[in-house]
């Protein structure tokens, strides 16, 4: 599962989900620790799915600098894959991360989670928070990645669902993301979760 990135820098489709955030299963078949709006919430939740489960665990502050470097490097790699020069891609990635993490700390409302499997192993990460609009209820999945050797097991889907719960518990009424054009598999996943395309960027090479 490839990363999805900042709305200002998406090179393919921008999607947003509204109804899907209200279409969660009941506690009897889904969340064993449910994030609830208007009350104190735990720092992690577990989505139970047979035979695996996933936990979102807040990233240790001591690990944030290394995560920032990883996320920045992966974003630059994605931008190069869309045709940008390495120099422009790395500059854009640095500027984007600097806006979201001034002085190396998350902007208000933003959270970075490890995605942890039921054996306690970190299998990826999720970065979620408000989008760049003036609408406090409009949230964004800024980045999600599942390690290559852990893909295909449903971890990304379960992390996305937990992200919806986390956002809703904090007043979100929509959740958006961007997906690069070279990743149709990820786009299919997001559509299956209820995301709808709201805009598409296109480009033609002229030699």
């Amino acid at each position: 599962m490839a990363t999805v990135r900042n709305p200002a820098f998406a090179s393919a489709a921008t999607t947003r989900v509204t109804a899907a955030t209200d279409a969660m299963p009941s506690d009897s078949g889904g969340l064993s620790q449910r994030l609830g709006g208007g009350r104190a919430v735990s720092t992690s939740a577990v989505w139970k799915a047979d035979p695996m489960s996933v936990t979102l665990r807040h990233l240790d502050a001591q690990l944030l600098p290394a995560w920032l470097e990883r996320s920045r490097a992966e974003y630059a790699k994605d931008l190069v894959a869309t045709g940008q020069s390495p120099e422009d891609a790395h500059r854009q990635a640095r500027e984007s991360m600097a806006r979201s993490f001034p002085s190396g700390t998350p902007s208000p409302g933003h959270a970075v989670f490890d995605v942890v499997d039921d054996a306690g192993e970190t299998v990826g990460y999720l970065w979620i928070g408000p989008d760049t609009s003036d609408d406090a209820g409009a949230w964004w999945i800024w980045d999600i990645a599942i390690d290559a050797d852990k893909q295909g097991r449903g971890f990304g889907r379960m992390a996305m669902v937990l992200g919806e719960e986390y956002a809703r518990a904090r007043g979100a009424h929509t959740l958006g993301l961007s997906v690069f054009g070279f990743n149709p598999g990820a786009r299919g996943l997001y559509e299956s979760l209820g995301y709808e395309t709201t805009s598409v960027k296109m480009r033609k090479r002229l030699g």
Side-chain angles (χ1 to χ4, degrees), residues 5-14 75 79 92 140 177-180 201:
R5 292 292 177 167
N6 304 6
F9 304 122
S11 58
T14 300
Y75 185 25
L79 291 172
Q92 187 165 310
W140 200 261
L177 55 83
S178 295
V179 57
F180 284 105
K201 291 184 179 181

Side-chain angles (χ1 to χ4, degrees), residues 3-165:
T3 53
V4 291
R5 292 292 177 167
N6 304 6
F9 304 122
S11 58
T14 300
T15 64
R16 186 170 297 275
V17 63
T18 52
T21 57
D22 296 320
M24 298 295 297
S26 66
D27 286 339
S28 61
L31 290 171
S32 62
Q33 289 182 306
R34 192 172 186 84
L35 296 178
R39 66 175 188 272
V41 296
S42 61
T43 58
S44 65
V46 179
W47 170 264
K48 291 292 185 183
D50 188 22
M52 306 293 287
S53 65
V54 158
T55 303
L56 293 185
R57 182 178 64 199
H58 278 286
L59 183 70
D60 190 315
Q62 294 182 341
L63 302 178
L64 185 60
W67 176 84
L68 285 169
E69 183 56 38
R70 174 186 175 183
S71 185
R72 184 164 44 238
E74 290 179 348
Y75 185 25
K77 181 180 178 181
D78 287 344
L79 291 172
V80 170
T82 69
Q84 289 197 27
S85 69
E87 294 78 11
D88 287 344
H90 284 282
R91 173 188 53 77
Q92 187 165 310
R94 286 194 304 271
E95 292 175 353
S96 172
M97 298 300 285
R99 281 190 293 270
S100 299
F101 293 85
S103 303
T105 58
S107 298
H110 287 245
V112 179
F113 295 97
D114 283 326
V115 179
V116 182
D117 67 12
D118 56 358
E121 180 180 358
T122 298
V123 299
Y125 63 79
L126 171 71
W127 165 22
I128 191 169
D131 71 8
T132 56
S133 72
D134 293 329
D135 183 353
W139 275 50
W140 200 261
I141 294 181
W142 293 88
D143 196 1
I144 181 171
I146 301 299
D147 296 341
D149 62 338
K150 304 297 183 182
Q151 294 178 12
R153 306 184 192 181
F155 293 136
R157 176 181 293 275
M158 289 184 281
M160 292 283 292
V161 171
L162 283 177
E164 292 179 14
E165 283 285 83

Side-chain angles (χ1 to χ4, degrees), residues 183-200:
N183 196 354
R187 183 169 180 177
L189 168 63
Y190 307 141
E191 289 174 345
S192 75
L193 287 167
Y195 288 79
E196 299 177 345
T197 300
T198 58
S199 66
V200 176

